Amino acid sequence: MKYFKKLEGERIYLSPINSEDVILYTKWMNDSSVTDGIGRTSYLFNIDSEKEYLEKKVSNEYKFAIVEKSSDTLIGNCSIFKIDNICGHGELGIMIGEESFRSKGYGQEAIRLLLSYCFETLNFVSVELSALSFNERAINCYKKCGFKEVGRLRKSFFANGSYHDSVILDILKEEFYEKQVCID
């Protein structure tokens, strides 16, 4: 088995990223249906650059593969980065690369697993993220997980021929636990 169940949910688990998946990651990172939403469409990704990213060890970063449990299928990845251990916060990123797994709640489940890890294991007080204003699917997902919009960087990102706002969202530890009580 090339994946390890570090964080386990109902339908997915999060495993440390495996560099053997470089071909699949390179495919996703050259697919505009993936990269438009994460602001990477203008970048060119090749196997070497993607392998370097997958193998790069950063002390204040956690990178996970999102794996569908019943089939052990890699469907995306998520990470916590820009970690500040003194202030107790970090930034979250997520991508569902496999199109057939999008808009089916897998992203929400991965985010909740990652937030639980941040608040219970890493002792964070808050987690933030940003999304491009046109990525309504992602913004709605984040809000369903308890994130709140805290600001915008107006016209801060150029994509597909025009400028777009970057929407900044965050969630506090207590908000995460309040949201979990409502879900359960």
Short mmCIF file of all heavy atoms in Angstrom, two decimals, residues 9-58:
data_model
loop_
_atom_site.label_atom_id
_atom_site.label_comp_id
_atom_site.label_asym_id
_atom_site.label_seq_id
_atom_site.Cartn_x
_atom_site.Cartn_y
_atom_site.Cartn_z
N GLY A 9 -11.54 9.67 7.84
CA GLY A 9 -12.92 10.14 7.88
C GLY A 9 -13.86 9.02 7.49
O GLY A 9 -13.49 7.85 7.47
N GLU A 10 -15.08 9.41 7.15
CA GLU A 10 -16.11 8.44 6.78
C GLU A 10 -15.86 7.84 5.39
O GLU A 10 -15.92 6.63 5.22
CB GLU A 10 -17.48 9.12 6.82
CG GLU A 10 -18.65 8.18 6.74
CD GLU A 10 -19.95 8.93 6.92
OE1 GLU A 10 -20.07 9.72 7.88
OE2 GLU A 10 -20.86 8.73 6.08
N ARG A 11 -15.57 8.70 4.40
CA ARG A 11 -15.39 8.22 3.02
C ARG A 11 -13.98 8.40 2.49
O ARG A 11 -13.65 7.88 1.43
CB ARG A 11 -16.35 8.96 2.09
CG ARG A 11 -17.81 8.75 2.44
CD ARG A 11 -18.74 9.47 1.49
NE ARG A 11 -18.45 10.89 1.44
CZ ARG A 11 -18.73 11.68 0.40
NH1 ARG A 11 -19.31 11.19 -0.66
NH2 ARG A 11 -18.44 12.96 0.44
N ILE A 12 -13.17 9.16 3.20
CA ILE A 12 -11.80 9.43 2.74
C ILE A 12 -10.83 9.29 3.91
O ILE A 12 -11.24 9.21 5.07
CB ILE A 12 -11.64 10.86 2.17
CG1 ILE A 12 -11.96 11.89 3.25
CG2 ILE A 12 -12.48 11.05 0.92
CD1 ILE A 12 -11.47 13.28 2.94
N TYR A 13 -9.56 9.27 3.57
CA TYR A 13 -8.52 9.45 4.58
C TYR A 13 -7.43 10.34 3.99
O TYR A 13 -7.32 10.48 2.77
CB TYR A 13 -7.98 8.12 5.10
CG TYR A 13 -7.30 7.23 4.08
CD1 TYR A 13 -5.92 7.33 3.84
CD2 TYR A 13 -8.01 6.25 3.39
CE1 TYR A 13 -5.29 6.50 2.92
CE2 TYR A 13 -7.39 5.42 2.48
CZ TYR A 13 -6.02 5.54 2.26
OH TYR A 13 -5.40 4.72 1.35
N LEU A 14 -6.68 10.96 4.87
CA LEU A 14 -5.57 11.81 4.48
C LEU A 14 -4.28 11.06 4.78
O LEU A 14 -4.10 10.54 5.88
CB LEU A 14 -5.59 13.14 5.21
CG LEU A 14 -6.86 13.98 5.08
CD1 LEU A 14 -6.70 15.33 5.79
CD2 LEU A 14 -7.25 14.18 3.63
N SER A 15 -3.42 11.01 3.78
CA SER A 15 -2.15 10.29 3.85
C SER A 15 -1.02 11.25 3.51
O SER A 15 -1.24 12.21 2.75
CB SER A 15 -2.17 9.14 2.84
OG SER A 15 -0.91 8.52 2.73
N PRO A 16 0.17 11.02 4.03
CA PRO A 16 1.29 11.84 3.53
C PRO A 16 1.37 11.71 2.01
O PRO A 16 1.09 10.65 1.45
CB PRO A 16 2.51 11.21 4.19
CG PRO A 16 1.97 10.55 5.42
CD PRO A 16 0.60 10.07 5.05
N ILE A 17 1.71 12.81 1.34
CA ILE A 17 1.82 12.80 -0.12
C ILE A 17 2.89 11.81 -0.55
O ILE A 17 3.93 11.68 0.10
CB ILE A 17 2.13 14.22 -0.63
CG1 ILE A 17 0.85 15.04 -0.61
CG2 ILE A 17 2.73 14.21 -2.01
CD1 ILE A 17 0.96 16.40 -1.23
N ASN A 18 2.62 11.12 -1.65
CA ASN A 18 3.55 10.13 -2.19
C ASN A 18 4.08 10.63 -3.53
O ASN A 18 3.31 10.87 -4.47
CB ASN A 18 2.80 8.80 -2.37
CG ASN A 18 3.72 7.66 -2.72
OD1 ASN A 18 4.76 7.85 -3.34
ND2 ASN A 18 3.32 6.47 -2.33
N SER A 19 5.39 10.76 -3.64
CA SER A 19 5.98 11.29 -4.88
C SER A 19 5.80 10.35 -6.06
O SER A 19 5.97 10.76 -7.21
CB SER A 19 7.47 11.61 -4.67
OG SER A 19 8.19 10.45 -4.35
N GLU A 20 5.42 9.11 -5.81
CA GLU A 20 5.14 8.17 -6.91
C GLU A 20 3.92 8.60 -7.73
O GLU A 20 3.72 8.13 -8.84
CB GLU A 20 4.92 6.75 -6.37
CG GLU A 20 6.16 6.12 -5.79
CD GLU A 20 5.87 4.76 -5.16
OE1 GLU A 20 4.84 4.13 -5.51
OE2 GLU A 20 6.67 4.33 -4.33
N ASP A 21 3.13 9.49 -7.20
CA ASP A 21 1.93 9.98 -7.88
C ASP A 21 2.21 11.18 -8.77
O ASP A 21 1.29 11.88 -9.20
CB ASP A 21 0.85 10.34 -6.86
CG ASP A 21 0.34 9.13 -6.10
OD1 ASP A 21 0.13 8.09 -6.74
OD2 ASP A 21 0.16 9.25 -4.88
N VAL A 22 3.46 11.43 -9.09
CA VAL A 22 3.87 12.63 -9.82
C VAL A 22 3.16 12.77 -11.17
O VAL A 22 2.80 13.88 -11.57
CB VAL A 22 5.40 12.71 -9.97
CG1 VAL A 22 5.93 11.60 -10.87
CG2 VAL A 22 5.83 14.07 -10.47
N ILE A 23 2.93 11.68 -11.88
CA ILE A 23 2.27 11.76 -13.19
C ILE A 23 0.84 12.29 -13.03
O ILE A 23 0.40 13.17 -13.78
CB ILE A 23 2.26 10.39 -13.90
CG1 ILE A 23 3.69 9.88 -14.13
CG2 ILE A 23 1.47 10.44 -15.20
CD1 ILE A 23 4.49 10.69 -15.12
N LEU A 24 0.12 11.76 -12.06
CA LEU A 24 -1.26 12.20 -11.83
C LEU A 24 -1.31 13.66 -11.39
O LEU A 24 -2.13 14.44 -11.89
CB LEU A 24 -1.94 11.30 -10.79
CG LEU A 24 -3.43 11.52 -10.56
CD1 LEU A 24 -4.23 11.47 -11.86
CD2 LEU A 24 -3.96 10.49 -9.58
N TYR A 25 -0.42 14.06 -10.48
CA TYR A 25 -0.38 15.45 -10.06
C TYR A 25 -0.04 16.38 -11.22
O TYR A 25 -0.61 17.46 -11.37
CB TYR A 25 0.62 15.66 -8.91
CG TYR A 25 0.08 15.25 -7.56
CD1 TYR A 25 0.62 14.18 -6.87
CD2 TYR A 25 -0.98 15.94 -6.98
CE1 TYR A 25 0.14 13.81 -5.62
CE2 TYR A 25 -1.48 15.57 -5.74
CZ TYR A 25 -0.91 14.51 -5.07
OH TYR A 25 -1.40 14.14 -3.85
N THR A 26 0.89 15.96 -12.07
CA THR A 26 1.26 16.78 -13.23
C THR A 26 0.08 16.92 -14.18
O THR A 26 -0.18 18.01 -14.71
CB THR A 26 2.48 16.17 -13.96
OG1 THR A 26 3.55 16.02 -13.01
CG2 THR A 26 2.95 17.05 -15.10
N LYS A 27 -0.67 15.84 -14.35
CA LYS A 27 -1.88 15.89 -15.19
C LYS A 27 -2.87 16.90 -14.62
O LYS A 27 -3.39 17.76 -15.34
CB LYS A 27 -2.51 14.50 -15.26
CG LYS A 27 -3.84 14.46 -15.99
CD LYS A 27 -4.49 13.09 -15.87
CE LYS A 27 -5.97 13.21 -16.13
NZ LYS A 27 -6.76 12.20 -15.50
N TRP A 28 -3.14 16.82 -13.32
CA TRP A 28 -4.08 17.74 -12.69
C TRP A 28 -3.62 19.19 -12.81
O TRP A 28 -4.43 20.08 -13.08
CB TRP A 28 -4.28 17.40 -11.22
CG TRP A 28 -5.00 16.12 -10.94
CD1 TRP A 28 -5.80 15.42 -11.79
CD2 TRP A 28 -4.99 15.40 -9.72
NE1 TRP A 28 -6.29 14.30 -11.16
CE2 TRP A 28 -5.81 14.26 -9.89
CE3 TRP A 28 -4.37 15.59 -8.50
CZ2 TRP A 28 -6.02 13.33 -8.88
CZ3 TRP A 28 -4.57 14.66 -7.49
CH2 TRP A 28 -5.40 13.55 -7.69
N MET A 29 -2.33 19.43 -12.59
CA MET A 29 -1.83 20.79 -12.58
C MET A 29 -1.73 21.40 -13.98
O MET A 29 -1.45 22.59 -14.13
CB MET A 29 -0.47 20.86 -11.87
CG MET A 29 -0.57 20.54 -10.38
SD MET A 29 -1.82 21.51 -9.48
CE MET A 29 -1.11 23.14 -9.57
N ASN A 30 -1.99 20.61 -15.01
CA ASN A 30 -2.07 21.12 -16.38
C ASN A 30 -3.50 21.08 -16.91
O ASN A 30 -3.73 21.29 -18.09
CB ASN A 30 -1.11 20.34 -17.29
CG ASN A 30 0.32 20.76 -17.05
OD1 ASN A 30 0.71 21.86 -17.39
ND2 ASN A 30 1.09 19.88 -16.42
N ASP A 31 -4.46 20.85 -16.02
CA ASP A 31 -5.88 20.80 -16.37
C ASP A 31 -6.52 22.11 -15.90
O ASP A 31 -6.59 22.39 -14.70
CB ASP A 31 -6.52 19.60 -15.67
CG ASP A 31 -8.01 19.47 -15.89
OD1 ASP A 31 -8.64 20.40 -16.44
OD2 ASP A 31 -8.56 18.44 -15.48
N SER A 32 -6.97 22.94 -16.83
CA SER A 32 -7.50 24.24 -16.46
C SER A 32 -8.74 24.14 -15.56
O SER A 32 -9.02 25.07 -14.80
CB SER A 32 -7.80 25.08 -17.70
OG SER A 32 -8.78 24.46 -18.49
N SER A 33 -9.48 23.03 -15.61
CA SER A 33 -10.63 22.90 -14.71
C SER A 33 -10.17 22.79 -13.25
O SER A 33 -10.93 23.06 -12.33
CB SER A 33 -11.51 21.71 -15.10
OG SER A 33 -10.91 20.49 -14.75
N VAL A 34 -8.93 22.40 -13.04
CA VAL A 34 -8.34 22.35 -11.70
C VAL A 34 -7.65 23.68 -11.39
O VAL A 34 -7.90 24.30 -10.36
CB VAL A 34 -7.32 21.19 -11.57
CG1 VAL A 34 -6.60 21.24 -10.23
CG2 VAL A 34 -7.99 19.84 -11.76
N THR A 35 -6.79 24.11 -12.29
CA THR A 35 -5.92 25.25 -12.00
C THR A 35 -6.62 26.61 -12.05
O THR A 35 -6.17 27.54 -11.40
CB THR A 35 -4.70 25.26 -12.94
OG1 THR A 35 -5.15 25.29 -14.30
CG2 THR A 35 -3.82 24.05 -12.70
N ASP A 36 -7.72 26.72 -12.79
CA ASP A 36 -8.45 28.00 -12.79
C ASP A 36 -8.88 28.36 -11.38
O ASP A 36 -8.74 29.50 -10.95
CB ASP A 36 -9.69 27.92 -13.68
CG ASP A 36 -9.39 28.11 -15.15
OD1 ASP A 36 -8.21 28.35 -15.50
OD2 ASP A 36 -10.33 28.02 -15.96
N GLY A 37 -9.40 27.40 -10.64
CA GLY A 37 -9.93 27.65 -9.30
C GLY A 37 -8.87 27.94 -8.27
O GLY A 37 -9.16 28.56 -7.24
N ILE A 38 -7.65 27.51 -8.49
CA ILE A 38 -6.59 27.75 -7.51
C ILE A 38 -5.58 28.78 -7.99
O ILE A 38 -4.53 28.98 -7.37
CB ILE A 38 -5.89 26.43 -7.09
CG1 ILE A 38 -5.25 25.73 -8.29
CG2 ILE A 38 -6.86 25.51 -6.37
CD1 ILE A 38 -4.40 24.51 -7.93
N GLY A 39 -5.89 29.42 -9.10
CA GLY A 39 -5.06 30.51 -9.58
C GLY A 39 -3.72 30.10 -10.14
O GLY A 39 -2.74 30.84 -10.05
N ARG A 40 -3.66 28.94 -10.78
CA ARG A 40 -2.39 28.45 -11.31
C ARG A 40 -2.44 28.19 -12.82
O ARG A 40 -1.55 27.54 -13.36
CB ARG A 40 -1.97 27.17 -10.59
CG ARG A 40 -1.69 27.33 -9.12
CD ARG A 40 -0.41 28.12 -8.90
NE ARG A 40 -0.07 28.23 -7.51
CZ ARG A 40 -0.15 29.35 -6.81
NH1 ARG A 40 -0.58 30.44 -7.37
NH2 ARG A 40 0.19 29.38 -5.55
N THR A 41 -3.44 28.69 -13.52
CA THR A 41 -3.59 28.41 -14.94
C THR A 41 -2.44 28.97 -15.77
O THR A 41 -2.04 28.37 -16.76
CB THR A 41 -4.93 28.96 -15.45
OG1 THR A 41 -5.98 28.34 -14.69
CG2 THR A 41 -5.15 28.66 -16.92
N SER A 42 -1.85 30.07 -15.36
CA SER A 42 -0.77 30.67 -16.15
C SER A 42 0.56 29.95 -15.98
O SER A 42 1.51 30.22 -16.71
CB SER A 42 -0.61 32.15 -15.79
OG SER A 42 -0.20 32.27 -14.45
N TYR A 43 0.64 29.02 -15.03
CA TYR A 43 1.89 28.30 -14.79
C TYR A 43 1.96 27.06 -15.66
O TYR A 43 0.94 26.43 -15.97
CB TYR A 43 2.00 27.88 -13.32
CG TYR A 43 2.09 29.04 -12.37
CD1 TYR A 43 0.94 29.62 -11.84
CD2 TYR A 43 3.32 29.56 -12.00
CE1 TYR A 43 1.02 30.68 -10.96
CE2 TYR A 43 3.41 30.63 -11.12
CZ TYR A 43 2.26 31.18 -10.60
OH TYR A 43 2.33 32.24 -9.74
N LEU A 44 3.17 26.68 -16.02
CA LEU A 44 3.41 25.46 -16.76
C LEU A 44 4.06 24.45 -15.82
O LEU A 44 5.08 24.75 -15.20
CB LEU A 44 4.34 25.74 -17.95
CG LEU A 44 4.63 24.57 -18.87
CD1 LEU A 44 3.34 24.07 -19.52
CD2 LEU A 44 5.61 25.00 -19.95
N PHE A 45 3.45 23.30 -15.68
CA PHE A 45 3.96 22.27 -14.77
C PHE A 45 4.47 21.09 -15.57
O PHE A 45 3.78 20.61 -16.47
CB PHE A 45 2.84 21.80 -13.82
CG PHE A 45 2.35 22.89 -12.91
CD1 PHE A 45 1.30 23.70 -13.27
CD2 PHE A 45 2.96 23.10 -11.68
CE1 PHE A 45 0.85 24.71 -12.43
CE2 PHE A 45 2.52 24.11 -10.83
CZ PHE A 45 1.47 24.91 -11.21
N ASN A 46 5.67 20.63 -15.23
CA ASN A 46 6.19 19.43 -15.85
C ASN A 46 6.50 18.41 -14.76
O ASN A 46 6.40 18.71 -13.57
CB ASN A 46 7.41 19.72 -16.73
CG ASN A 46 8.57 20.30 -15.95
OD1 ASN A 46 8.89 19.85 -14.85
ND2 ASN A 46 9.22 21.31 -16.52
N ILE A 47 6.84 17.22 -15.17
CA ILE A 47 7.07 16.13 -14.21
C ILE A 47 8.17 16.50 -13.22
O ILE A 47 8.04 16.25 -12.02
CB ILE A 47 7.36 14.81 -14.95
CG1 ILE A 47 6.09 14.35 -15.67
CG2 ILE A 47 7.85 13.74 -13.99
CD1 ILE A 47 6.28 13.18 -16.60
N ASP A 48 9.25 17.10 -13.71
CA ASP A 48 10.37 17.43 -12.82
C ASP A 48 9.97 18.47 -11.77
O ASP A 48 10.30 18.32 -10.59
CB ASP A 48 11.56 17.95 -13.63
CG ASP A 48 12.19 16.86 -14.49
OD1 ASP A 48 12.06 15.67 -14.14
OD2 ASP A 48 12.80 17.21 -15.52
N SER A 49 9.26 19.52 -12.18
CA SER A 49 8.87 20.55 -11.22
C SER A 49 7.86 20.01 -10.22
O SER A 49 7.91 20.35 -9.03
CB SER A 49 8.31 21.79 -11.93
OG SER A 49 7.12 21.49 -12.62
N GLU A 50 6.97 19.16 -10.68
CA GLU A 50 5.97 18.60 -9.77
C GLU A 50 6.62 17.62 -8.79
O GLU A 50 6.28 17.59 -7.61
CB GLU A 50 4.85 17.93 -10.57
CG GLU A 50 3.58 17.72 -9.80
CD GLU A 50 2.95 18.98 -9.23
OE1 GLU A 50 3.18 20.10 -9.73
OE2 GLU A 50 2.23 18.85 -8.22
N LYS A 51 7.57 16.84 -9.27
CA LYS A 51 8.28 15.89 -8.39
C LYS A 51 9.06 16.67 -7.33
O LYS A 51 9.08 16.28 -6.16
CB LYS A 51 9.22 15.00 -9.20
CG LYS A 51 9.84 13.91 -8.36
CD LYS A 51 10.53 12.88 -9.23
CE LYS A 51 11.17 11.84 -8.36
NZ LYS A 51 10.60 10.55 -8.46
N GLU A 52 9.69 17.77 -7.73
CA GLU A 52 10.42 18.60 -6.77
C GLU A 52 9.47 19.12 -5.69
O GLU A 52 9.80 19.11 -4.51
CB GLU A 52 11.07 19.77 -7.51
CG GLU A 52 11.89 20.67 -6.61
CD GLU A 52 12.52 21.81 -7.39
OE1 GLU A 52 12.96 21.60 -8.54
OE2 GLU A 52 12.56 22.93 -6.83
N TYR A 53 8.26 19.56 -6.08
CA TYR A 53 7.28 20.04 -5.11
C TYR A 53 6.87 18.90 -4.16
O TYR A 53 6.81 19.09 -2.95
CB TYR A 53 6.04 20.60 -5.80
CG TYR A 53 4.90 20.83 -4.85
CD1 TYR A 53 4.88 21.94 -4.00
CD2 TYR A 53 3.86 19.92 -4.75
CE1 TYR A 53 3.85 22.14 -3.10
CE2 TYR A 53 2.82 20.10 -3.84
CZ TYR A 53 2.82 21.21 -3.02
OH TYR A 53 1.81 21.38 -2.11
N LEU A 54 6.59 17.74 -4.71
CA LEU A 54 6.13 16.62 -3.90
C LEU A 54 7.19 16.13 -2.91
O LEU A 54 6.86 15.68 -1.82
CB LEU A 54 5.68 15.45 -4.79
CG LEU A 54 4.44 15.70 -5.64
CD1 LEU A 54 4.21 14.54 -6.60
CD2 LEU A 54 3.21 15.93 -4.78
N GLU A 55 8.45 16.22 -3.30
CA GLU A 55 9.53 15.72 -2.45
C GLU A 55 10.10 16.77 -1.52
O GLU A 55 10.85 16.44 -0.60
CB GLU A 55 10.64 15.12 -3.32
CG GLU A 55 10.20 13.85 -4.02
CD GLU A 55 11.27 13.25 -4.92
OE1 GLU A 55 12.22 13.98 -5.31
OE2 GLU A 55 11.15 12.06 -5.24
N LYS A 56 9.74 18.03 -1.75
CA LYS A 56 10.30 19.11 -0.94
C LYS A 56 9.79 19.00 0.50
O LYS A 56 8.59 18.95 0.74
CB LYS A 56 9.90 20.46 -1.54
CG LYS A 56 10.54 21.64 -0.87
CD LYS A 56 10.15 22.92 -1.59
CE LYS A 56 10.84 24.11 -0.97
NZ LYS A 56 10.45 25.34 -1.66
N LYS A 57 10.72 18.94 1.40
CA LYS A 57 10.39 18.87 2.82
C LYS A 57 10.48 20.27 3.41
O LYS A 57 11.52 20.90 3.38
CB LYS A 57 11.35 17.94 3.57
CG LYS A 57 11.46 16.55 2.98
CD LYS A 57 10.23 15.72 3.27
CE LYS A 57 10.41 14.29 2.83
NZ LYS A 57 9.75 13.94 1.61
N VAL A 58 9.38 20.75 3.93
CA VAL A 58 9.34 22.06 4.55
C VAL A 58 8.92 21.85 6.00
O VAL A 58 7.89 21.22 6.27
CB VAL A 58 8.34 23.00 3.82
CG1 VAL A 58 8.29 24.36 4.49
CG2 VAL A 58 8.72 23.13 2.35
#
